[in-house]
Amino acid sequence: MEKLKIAIQKSGRLNEDSIKVLKDCGISIDNGKDQLKASARNFPMEVFYLRNGDIPQYLKDGVVDVAIIGENVLKEKGGNIAVAENLGFSKCRVSLAVPKSSTYAEIKDLEGKRIATSYPNTLNAYLSGKGVQAELHIINGSVEIAPNIGLADAICDIVSSGSTLFKNNLKEVEVMLRSEAVLAVSPMIAEKQREILEDLRFRIKSVLVARQSKYILMNAPNDKLEDIIKILPGMRSPTVLPLAEEGWSSVHTVINKDKFWEVINELKQLGAEGILVCPIEKMVL
């Protein structure tokens, strides 16, 4: 039986998030400790656990058909590898940072400076676009210590919370790239595997939309129904059912979690009561 070969990060946060999204898609993976390859029990898929930096080359060579990988790594090492889906997790940014004592005002201040980085291609492209020439020191590992030991005047590295920069007395001055996990596709993927990929994408989309949504139920006075329905950003229109108590209805709908508190406050002001909020496991559009 033909299988879709998917690569994910061998360990770390991206590994955990990748396993979770596959599990939420209903895919059960038989993976033991320290395995480099595992099969799914209920989906035509093989999972390869690889070093993050090696995944783009495996995609280029067609060793794997698809991969869940950070967009930052894909842009640095992946060339023109296509992205099938943005996955919305493992968000970070690739930024330039300098010592807090620096008098940095603009990107031109890095002209002729030494910059330590694990992202030379991304950095070169960014500096070239700004008309800046600098001396790059390529480091695999703890880039943030470079200014403290006199190796560089600035760094280019991934930033999530910014705590590592703070601990090393650095300040973020330029955001070069905003990144998240993506589903990347090998240019050599076969037609049969592409069909399996489309099934996987369908499942992933259902999971991602559900993660961004909440299902809400409420009791609403009938004389306020029209106003309440106007503020509900539902998929089409809410479901309205009469309650046993005269003059009241039960209203059911789906709202985006980012608008949740704003909408809930408006509903309460219009007289809605007994508002029940439920998570959504899957949502097929």
Side-chain angles (χ1 to χ4, degrees), residues 59-226:
L59 286 167
K60 290 177 184 177
D61 294 342
V63 176
V64 295
D65 303 307
V66 296
I68 297 177
I69 186 173
E71 194 175 7
N72 55 309
V73 177
L74 193 65
K75 286 186 179 293
E76 175 66 25
K77 297 185 174 184
N80 296 318
I81 292 175
V83 171
E85 294 291 337
N86 285 30
L87 301 177
F89 55 79
S90 296
K91 292 185 177 182
C92 66
R93 53 196 182 272
V94 181
S95 296
L96 284 162
V98 299
K100 289 181 181 177
S101 58
S102 170
T103 56
Y104 181 95
E106 60 177 4
I107 190 67
K108 294 289 186 182
D109 292 340
L110 294 179
E111 180 70 34
K113 300 292 187 181
R114 299 166 300 163
I115 306 175
T117 186
S118 300
Y119 296 90
N121 295 329
T122 303
L123 179 56
N124 266 325
Y126 185 81
L127 293 178
S128 177
K130 300 291 184 179
V132 173
Q133 290 189 328
E135 180 184 335
L136 271 57
H137 289 265
I138 302 173
I139 298 177
N140 294 314
S142 302
V143 174
E144 63 276 357
I145 68 169
N148 292 332
I149 60 176
L151 181 63
D153 304 298
I155 69 165
C156 163
D157 201 11
I158 59 170
V159 179
S160 295
S161 65
S163 61
T164 302
L165 294 182
F166 179 80
K167 290 175 184 176
N168 286 276
N169 208 30
L170 299 172
K171 60 183 179 182
E172 187 177 8
V173 292
E174 297 278 340
V175 176
M176 297 165 44
L177 170 69
R178 295 192 183 277
S179 172
E180 63 183 88
V182 297
L183 182 65
V185 184
S186 168
M188 300 177 68
I189 186 171
E191 189 59 36
K192 182 61 180 177
Q193 277 69 29
R194 190 173 290 279
E195 290 174 10
I196 302 171
L197 170 60
E198 290 308 306
D199 189 0
L200 177 63
R201 289 182 64 193
F202 173 76
R203 295 190 186 199
I204 287 176
K205 286 178 181 179
S206 299
V207 168
L208 296 181
V209 172
R211 287 181 180 181
Q212 294 299 314
S213 306
K214 297 287 185 183
Y215 186 79
I216 64 170
L217 305 85
M218 74 201 79
N219 297 329
N222 288 344
D223 60 352
K224 295 290 186 180
L225 267 180
E226 187 175 341

Side-chain angles (χ1 to χ4, degrees), residues 250-276:
S250 176
V251 180
H252 303 214
T253 193
V254 173
I255 64 173
N256 188 288
K257 72 175 186 178
D258 293 334
K259 296 182 177 293
F260 172 74
W261 289 112
E262 175 188 335
V263 171
I264 292 297
N265 286 332
E266 290 187 62
L267 292 172
K268 288 178 66 178
Q269 291 171 14
L270 288 170
E273 297 178 357
I275 302 172
L276 180 64

